[in-house]
Amino acid sequence: MTEQTPVTKTNAVKVPTLPDAQNVTEVKHYTDRLFSFKCTRPASLRFRSGEFVMIGLMGDPDPKTNRQKPLLRAYSIASPSWDEELEFYSIKVQDGPLTSKLQHIKSGDEIILRPKPVGTLVHDALLPGKRIWFFATGPGFAPFASLLRDPQTYEDYEEIIITHTCREVGELTYSRNIIASLKDDELLNEVIGDGFWKKIKYYPTTTRETSVKMGRITDLINSGAAYNDLGVAPLNPDNDRAMICGNLAFNLELKDMLEAAGLEEGANSKPAQYVVEKAFLD
């Protein structure tokens, strides 16, 4: 007789219950309006820093058929293209179809993630320049969280200006944390070199709660205050490039301002001096 090999118990593999499911690995709440979360990254997903994907949850059952359909929205990827996990930064809309549900996710939950990245806030959509402006309001900072952790940003530009306008001081926490973490980013320090972060000028402002700097960035630029505070020359098409991500009114106002300064809107198929994100959340 031959000795029988004992049967060992193996750990059961968790079977996804959602289509294109990814597991949530971390959730952080910053205010009653803003939170961030991380999830696993599909092995097939390749993206350029600044792009977005469709993510979501299953919607409520249809009252007649009891069937559920995926409820998806475009979300900018906040993590850089080299990261093993995906990070997202979101607003909470209490009666929003998706975010009213998404804000309650926790580590271990599943979300739907369609691994087909697209977007205009990418370096390929801009012509070479010396200085780049990242203009953000609220959760519009997300794509810039990705681009600020991408070596190409520092290779392509001599100066990086990031403006972030929110209603209250607490809503600036996420962007402040990202900016502060750059100094200790091992990959960037190794690839770009010590002191790369000195290229960054961070300009946070609030519109409701009192802070060090108050006002809408568009007003501060129009008045010249932003240029004086930052110690930089006004926008010009020869040296400046820009990316915009915020609410619709903000995006349109900044588009008009940039074009008045002589900058032209670019795209992946036709690079120019500025680009604007066109995806919105609810």
Side-chain angles (χ1 to χ4, degrees):
M1 292 180 61
T2 57
E3 184 178 355
Q4 296 293 315
T5 303
V7 177
T8 58
K9 185 178 181 180
T10 58
N11 292 325
V13 177
K14 183 178 179 181
V15 178
T17 57
L18 297 178
D20 295 312
Q22 296 299 320
N23 294 318
V24 176
T25 59
E26 180 181 288
V27 181
K28 291 183 179 180
H29 294 270
Y30 300 95
T31 70
D32 60 356
R33 297 185 65 248
L34 295 166
F35 72 108
S36 68
F37 59 95
K38 295 181 180 181
C39 70
T40 53
R41 176 174 178 169
S44 62
L45 177 61
R46 298 290 182 271
F47 68 95
R48 294 173 295 175
S49 295
E51 289 188 312
F52 64 83
V53 291
M54 301 299 290
I55 68 173
L57 298 168
M58 296 302 290
D60 294 329
D62 184 284
K64 294 182 179 179
T65 65
N66 204 38
R67 292 181 179 178
Q68 291 177 280
K69 293 182 179 180
L71 184 59
L72 303 172
R73 293 292 185 273
Y75 266 77
S76 293
I77 303 172
S79 47
S81 59
W82 48 263
D83 205 318
E84 295 180 356
E85 288 187 311
L86 298 178
E87 181 180 355
F88 300 94
Y89 185 44
S90 178
I91 194 171
K92 305 175 186 178
V93 181
Q94 299 308 319
D95 58 352
L98 177 59
T99 59
S100 60
K101 302 176 184 294
L102 194 63
Q103 63 183 287
H104 299 298
I105 60 172
K106 57 186 182 299
S107 182
D109 287 348
E110 291 181 346
I111 62 168
I112 303 168
L113 190 151
R114 298 283 167 79
K116 296 179 180 179
V118 291
T120 55
L121 299 187
V122 294
H123 288 303
D124 294 342
L126 294 175
L127 295 170
K130 294 183 178 180
R131 180 173 65 184
I132 189 165
W133 294 74
F134 294 146
F135 294 106
T137 61
F141 183 82
F144 305 133
S146 176
L147 287 157
L148 285 167
R149 291 180 280 186
D150 190 312
Q152 185 177 348
T153 301
Y154 304 93
E155 294 169 347
D156 288 356
Y157 297 98
E158 299 173 8
E159 191 171 39
I160 299 103
I161 300 175
I162 172 70
T163 79
H164 191 200
T165 301
C166 296
R167 298 190 304 182
E168 302 171 355
V169 174
E171 296 175 350
L172 294 166
T173 302
Y174 181 77
S175 61
R176 289 187 189 280
N177 290 349
I178 293 293
I179 299 295
S181 71
L182 293 173
K183 294 182 181 180
D184 300 318
D185 191 300
E186 294 182 4
L187 184 142
L188 290 176
N189 276 291
E190 180 179 347
V191 175
I192 307 301
D194 295 340
F196 73 90
W197 47 269
K198 294 179 182 178
K199 289 187 174 185
I200 299 171
K201 290 182 182 292
Y202 176 51
Y203 196 63
T205 69
T206 57
T207 56
R208 294 189 184 181
E209 184 179 0
T210 302
S211 66
V212 175
K213 192 66 185 183
M214 295 192 67
R216 299 166 69 245
I217 186 61
T218 47
D219 293 338
L220 293 168
I221 288 177
N222 283 329
S223 70
Y227 299 132
N228 291 332
D229 293 339
L230 291 165
V232 299
L235 287 156
N236 72 84
D238 295 329
N239 298 322
D240 288 299
R241 303 295 176 259
M243 295 186 179
I244 308 169
C245 190
N247 60 64
L248 181 58
F250 172 79
N251 291 357
L252 293 175
E253 186 175 2
L254 260 174
K255 276 170 57 75
D256 290 343
M257 290 176 59
L258 292 177
E259 290 179 2
L263 282 71
E264 295 182 2
E265 184 172 2
N268 284 280
S269 58
K270 187 180 179 182
Q273 285 88 23
Y274 82 91
V275 287
V276 57
E277 189 54 88
K278 299 177 174 65
F280 305 98
L281 291 178
D282 60 7

